[in-house]
């Protein structure tokens, strides 16, 4: 048989860049824990203990000579420092007891999305007791229940503590930023919401094709080859939970339930075949409700699980790429903060969580959380280099430089609404937006 | 049953042993038909923090020590985990809990859970 002459591309194949990946989710995985009926007091105790250690050294250096008193040991007029957990008394906070109240008070004009009220006040609590914080320095709208702070001031005659200064734990120690010589990008997407009406399958397929290098000419492919990893930050599915009403599900409804999962599996298989992908669960995904959410089970993704590049991750997710530390959530922590406090934008809330050294301070008060007895996994020991938060309205980013530590804080927009993915350059910690649109197609 | 709770909460002193004999009256008539060993077990069930034999005063001191450890606020809440777990948690947090508590729990065999375990 004569040899068939084939046209072979002389150019060498483009290789995707690689980076050393280390997963650091051990704190968030619940392998050994068994619920024995314990309450949340242990979680608060562990949180207070850990952050009190960080605060003590700050207090000693910032206020030398001022004693740290337990709250029950406060003396009138004596200047001292108290360390404890904040409880914010909120008038409009929904309480299960309201359903049993004989008199329903009129609801003020506050929207259901934010429960703040001018009459909110802060109470500081430690093991011995609690005391109300007063003073012009105390602005309740900037704080939430569950953070640990130190307050310097003096107790007044009426039992309140007049605060002169509030000390927050501040950013935790940060490992040095390694220097990387070439441009490598990490792609973030969130809020795919496959199965909902918002999701545009063509837009998603465009993204997949772009990331896997099936789109565009050589220059485009070179850009795609620089993307080393994709992180899917929650809410990838929009399951029709109303079908799970407790009755037997008909075959047609069963198909409707499983369709979105199969579609997501197809998408993830295509991506996993080309590059490493981490998928985090979100508020609407088939994972547990309480934080830390455990990784989506691999039986949901029979196609993608065959690849070693596919990694179901927990929410929050912590990992390291070439020495750069990443930490992020699918957005539940920040959304809950938004309901109970006021901030200019999402990035300010994220900055506050870093300053409080706790990524989800409202857990377990208003944010579902597992009742740990031996630790609080949301307390930050190390400051990440990149701090992300999924399922937000728009992409915003800021390089926070505080006390010599720099953190790239990014909010990832919902893909179903914006069609935007975010790329972060590991070399410079810059971010770029990748927007895919099918509107031109529809107009034509 | 109410008698059991009050006697548990009172501090145990050396002169209190006559109360033990009073407890026999609490057992119903049916129980008197049971043998002596069963009665001892039944007494243990009525007074949970005692061991199965007739309790000597050093058991009370052990229990007293363990209760002081339970109520020490430095080591956190005591309900919801066993005493050994709480001791180990305190150890991990660097609070240096007293070693004799650990020894008592492991060797002498003090009550594994605090007083309110399962009741609160």
């Amino acid at each position: 048989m004569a040899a068939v002459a084939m046209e072979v591309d002389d150019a060498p194949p483009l290789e995707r860049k690689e980076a050393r990946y280390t997963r650091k989710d051990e704190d968030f995985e619940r392998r050994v824990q068994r619920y024995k009926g314990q309450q949340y007091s242990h979680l608060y105790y562990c949180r207070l203990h850990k952050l009190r250690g960080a605060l003590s050294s700050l207090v000693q250096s910032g206020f030398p000579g001022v004693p740290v008193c337990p709250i029950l040991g406060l003396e009138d007029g004596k200047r001292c420092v108290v360390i404890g957990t904040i409880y914010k008394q909120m008038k409009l906070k929904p309480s299960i007891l309201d359903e049993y109240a004989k008199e329903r008070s009129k609801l003020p004009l506050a929207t259901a999305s934010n429960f703040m009220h001018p009459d909110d006040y802060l109470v500081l609590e430690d093991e011995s007791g609690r005391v109300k914080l007063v003073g012009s320095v105390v602005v309740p709208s900037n704080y939430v229940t569950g953070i640990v702070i130190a307050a310097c001031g003096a107790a007044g005659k009426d039992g309140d503590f007049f605060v002169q200064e509030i000390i927050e734990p501040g950013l935790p120690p940060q490992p040095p930023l390694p220097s990387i010589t070439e441009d490598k990008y990490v792609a973030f997407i969130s809020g795919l919401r496959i199965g909902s009406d918002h999701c545009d399958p063509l837009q998603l397929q465009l993204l997949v094709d772009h990331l896997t290098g099936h789109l565009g000419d050589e220059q485009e492919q070179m850009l795609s080859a620089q993307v080393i990893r994709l992180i899917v930050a929650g809410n990838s599915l929009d399951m029709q939970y109303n079908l799970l009403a407790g009755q037997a599900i008909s075959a047609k409804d069963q198909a409707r339930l499983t369709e979105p999962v199969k579609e997501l599996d197809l998408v993830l298989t295509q991506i996993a075949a080309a590059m490493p992908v981490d998928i985090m669960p979100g508020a609407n995904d088939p994972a547990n409700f309480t934080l830390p959410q455990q990784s989506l089970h691999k039986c949901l993704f029979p196609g993608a699980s065959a690849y070693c590049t596919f990694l179901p991750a927990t929410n929050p997710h912590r990992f390291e790429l070439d020495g750069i530390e990443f930490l992020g959530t699918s957005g539940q922590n920040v959304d809950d903060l938004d309901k109970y406090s006021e901030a200019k934008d999402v990035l300010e809330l994220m900055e506050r969580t870093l300053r409080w050294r706790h990524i989800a301070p409202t857990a377990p008060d208003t944010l579902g959380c597992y009742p740990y007895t031996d630790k609080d996994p949301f307390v930050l020991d190390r400051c990440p280099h990149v701090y992300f938060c999924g399922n937000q309205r728009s992409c915003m980013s800021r390089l926070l430089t505080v006390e010599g530590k720099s953190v790239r804080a990014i909010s990832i927009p919902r893909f179903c609404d914006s069609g935007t993915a975010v790329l972060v350059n590991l070399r410079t910690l810059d971010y770029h937006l990748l927007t895919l649109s099918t509107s031109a197609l529809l107009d034509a | 049953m109410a008698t059991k709770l009050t006697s548990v909460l009172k501090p145990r002193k050396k002169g209190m042993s006559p109360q033990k004999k009073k407890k026999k009256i609490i057992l119903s008539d049916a129980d008197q038909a049971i043998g002596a060993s069963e009665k001892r077990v039944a007494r243990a069930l009525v007074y949970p923090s005692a061991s199965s034999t007739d309790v000597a005063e050093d058991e009370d001191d052990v229990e007293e020590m363990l209760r002081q450890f339970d109520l020490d606020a430095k080591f956190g809440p005591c309900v919801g985990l066993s005493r050994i777990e709480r001791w180990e948690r305190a150890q991990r947090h660097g609070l240096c809990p007293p070693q004799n508590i650990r020894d008592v729990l492991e060797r002498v065999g003090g009550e594994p859970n605090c007083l309110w375990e399962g009741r609160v």
Side-chain angles (χ1 to χ4, degrees):
Chain A
M1 231 167 66
V4 178
M6 284 204 313
E7 271 185 43
V8 177
D9 206 346
D10 286 332
L14 271 178
E15 293 232 347
R16 191 178 290 276
K17 299 245 167 80
E18 277 177 6
R20 247 180 9 258
Y21 175 80
T22 323
R23 186 177 171 192
K24 291 183 165 183
D25 280 339
E26 309 82 28
D27 279 341
F28 303 125
E29 280 174 342
R30 277 212 293 280
R31 282 200 213 116
V32 196
Q33 304 263 359
R34 272 250 175 95
Y35 180 61
K36 288 179 283 206
Q38 69 266 28
Q39 299 193 3
Y40 289 114
S41 51
H42 304 280
L43 189 70
Y44 278 118
Y45 163 73
C46 294
R47 187 185 298 182
L48 178 60
H49 178 78
K50 229 176 173 176
L51 292 173
R52 198 210 301 263
L55 279 168
S56 297
S57 47
L58 274 178
V59 161
Q60 267 171 13
S61 53
F63 300 91
V66 183
V68 178
C69 297
I71 286 177
L72 273 189
L74 283 175
E75 294 164 21
D76 285 350
K78 183 177 161 201
R79 186 164 182 243
C80 60
V81 169
V82 282
I83 303 180
T85 316
I86 291 271
Y87 177 76
K88 186 161 151 185
Q89 178 63 38
M90 299 181 79
K91 205 163 161 173
L92 298 177
K93 185 166 133 184
S95 162
I96 193 79
L97 298 174
D98 290 340
E99 290 181 34
Y100 299 97
K102 290 219 173 109
E103 250 184 53
R104 304 270 180 116
S105 54
K106 285 189 211 141
L107 293 170
L109 297 167
T111 55
S113 60
N114 191 289
F115 299 106
M116 294 192 32
H117 193 270
D119 287 344
D120 295 339
Y121 58 89
L122 297 183
V123 174
L124 192 70
E125 195 175 302
D126 71 1
E127 295 100 345
S128 56
R130 39 166 40 199
V131 70
K132 183 173 168 183
L133 298 180
V134 292
S136 55
V137 175
V138 177
V139 182
S141 55
N142 293 346
Y143 301 99
V144 284
T145 300
I147 61 177
V148 176
I149 53 141
C152 178
K157 285 199 184 57
D158 50 359
D160 295 342
F161 190 81
F162 184 81
V163 179
Q164 287 157 359
E165 197 174 332
I166 290 187
I167 307 113
E168 295 166 337
L171 267 65
Q174 191 183 51
L177 187 68
S179 60
I180 295 175
T181 43
E182 37 181 20
D183 280 337
K184 291 184 196 175
Y185 294 88
V186 178
F188 292 92
I189 52 172
S190 81
L192 296 173
R193 295 192 63 190
I194 295 176
S196 76
D197 300 326
H198 296 280
C199 169
D200 185 355
L202 181 58
Q203 213 174 34
L204 185 54
Q205 193 56 45
L206 265 178
L207 175 74
V208 171
D209 287 339
H210 177 88
L211 287 174
T212 54
H214 290 112
L215 214 61
D217 62 349
E218 200 170 300
Q219 213 175 11
E220 290 262 352
Q221 287 179 328
M222 267 178 28
L223 282 175
S224 309
Q226 288 175 332
V227 179
I228 55 164
R229 200 165 195 102
L230 174 68
I231 314 290
V232 185
N235 282 355
S236 327
L237 285 170
D238 202 63
M239 307 269 289
Q240 292 207 343
Y241 291 115
N242 54 355
L243 291 172
L244 298 169
Q247 300 148 348
I249 310 174
S250 67
K252 190 170 132 203
D253 284 346
Q254 259 183 21
R256 230 189 291 162
L257 257 182
T258 56
E259 266 310 309
V261 185
K262 287 190 192 152
E263 213 180 305
L264 178 63
D265 186 34
L266 274 174
V267 167
L268 287 174
T269 313
Q270 290 173 55
I271 303 178
M275 61 195 284
V277 57
D278 291 2
I279 178 160
M280 294 163 58
N284 294 338
D285 285 331
N288 54 309
F289 169 73
T290 52
L291 287 188
Q293 281 183 298
Q294 301 302 290
S295 36
L296 295 164
H297 203 280
K298 60 178 196 204
C299 71
L300 291 169
F301 310 111
S305 308
Y307 291 92
C308 65
T309 46
F310 176 70
L311 183 77
T314 56
N315 170 30
H317 187 30
R318 186 191 280 138
F319 58 96
E320 195 187 285
L321 270 173
D322 266 355
I324 299 183
E325 300 237 344
F326 288 73
L327 172 65
T329 61
S330 300
Q332 290 110 315
N333 57 336
V334 167
D335 290 340
D336 206 57
L337 280 179
D338 202 26
K339 277 194 237 169
Y340 296 98
S341 67
E342 196 174 51
K344 205 168 53 190
D345 51 25
V346 168
L347 292 178
E348 195 177 331
L349 289 171
M350 289 169 75
E351 190 181 336
R352 282 188 197 158
T353 60
L354 287 174
R355 282 188 200 274
W356 294 330
R357 245 187 242 204
H358 198 282
I359 40 181
T362 49
D365 187 42
T366 45
L367 187 59
C369 174
Y370 179 81
Y372 286 95
T373 52
D374 55 346
K375 63 177 177 182
D376 183 347
F378 305 113
V379 174
L380 291 176
D381 289 326
R382 299 148 72 87
C383 188
H385 296 114
V386 179
Y387 184 41
F388 64 92
C389 171
N391 292 293
Q392 298 305 307
R393 222 176 309 131
S394 60
C395 176
M396 280 194 281
S397 182
R398 212 181 289 152
L399 191 68
L400 308 165
T401 36
V402 174
E403 303 155 21
K405 300 155 196 160
S406 63
V407 185
R408 164 65 67 189
I410 326 172
S411 68
I412 320 286
R414 292 184 276 261
F415 190 79
C416 58
D417 296 332
S418 63
T420 310
V422 182
L423 299 170
V424 176
N425 189 343
L426 291 187
R427 186 175 63 90
T428 58
L429 290 189
D430 273 338
Y431 76 107
H432 307 269
L433 295 180
L434 175 68
T435 311
L436 297 123
S437 157
T438 54
S439 55
L441 199 73
L442 295 166
D443 290 339
Chain B
M1 275 315 190
T3 322
K4 170 190 84 169
L5 280 172
T6 49
S7 60
V8 153
L9 289 171
K10 268 190 222 156
R12 308 296 317 294
K13 284 178 208 155
K14 294 220 172 182
M16 292 284 230
S17 30
Q19 266 208 351
K20 284 268 162 29
K21 291 183 191 139
K22 271 189 209 163
K23 282 223 189 58
K24 277 190 196 167
I25 306 165
I26 303 168
L27 299 172
S28 66
D29 292 330
D31 292 339
Q32 283 170 9
I34 315 169
S37 56
E38 275 94 343
K39 269 197 195 142
R40 256 182 261 130
V41 169
R43 204 175 300 132
L45 290 171
V46 166
Y47 193 102
S49 80
S51 61
S52 59
T53 53
D54 253 318
V55 169
E57 272 74 19
D58 29 86
E59 284 283 343
D60 301 338
D61 291 335
V62 158
E63 185 58 28
E64 186 63 32
M65 191 170 65
L66 289 173
R67 278 189 206 155
Q68 289 301 323
F69 172 65
D70 282 341
L71 294 173
D72 195 345
K74 191 169 64 163
F75 305 122
C78 62
V79 186
L81 65 176
S82 70
R83 281 169 170 165
I84 282 208
E85 280 173 356
R86 185 159 172 266
W87 193 94
E88 281 170 357
R89 177 179 78 183
Q91 173 93 340
R92 255 177 283 139
H93 286 184
L95 294 162
C96 304
Q99 186 64 35
N100 54 352
I101 304 276
R102 180 68 196 249
D103 294 337
V104 158
L105 287 167
E106 278 194 322
R107 290 168 214 165
V108 181
E111 184 64 28
N113 292 319
C114 78
L115 196 55
W116 297 278
E117 190 66 35
R119 295 188 198 172
V120 174

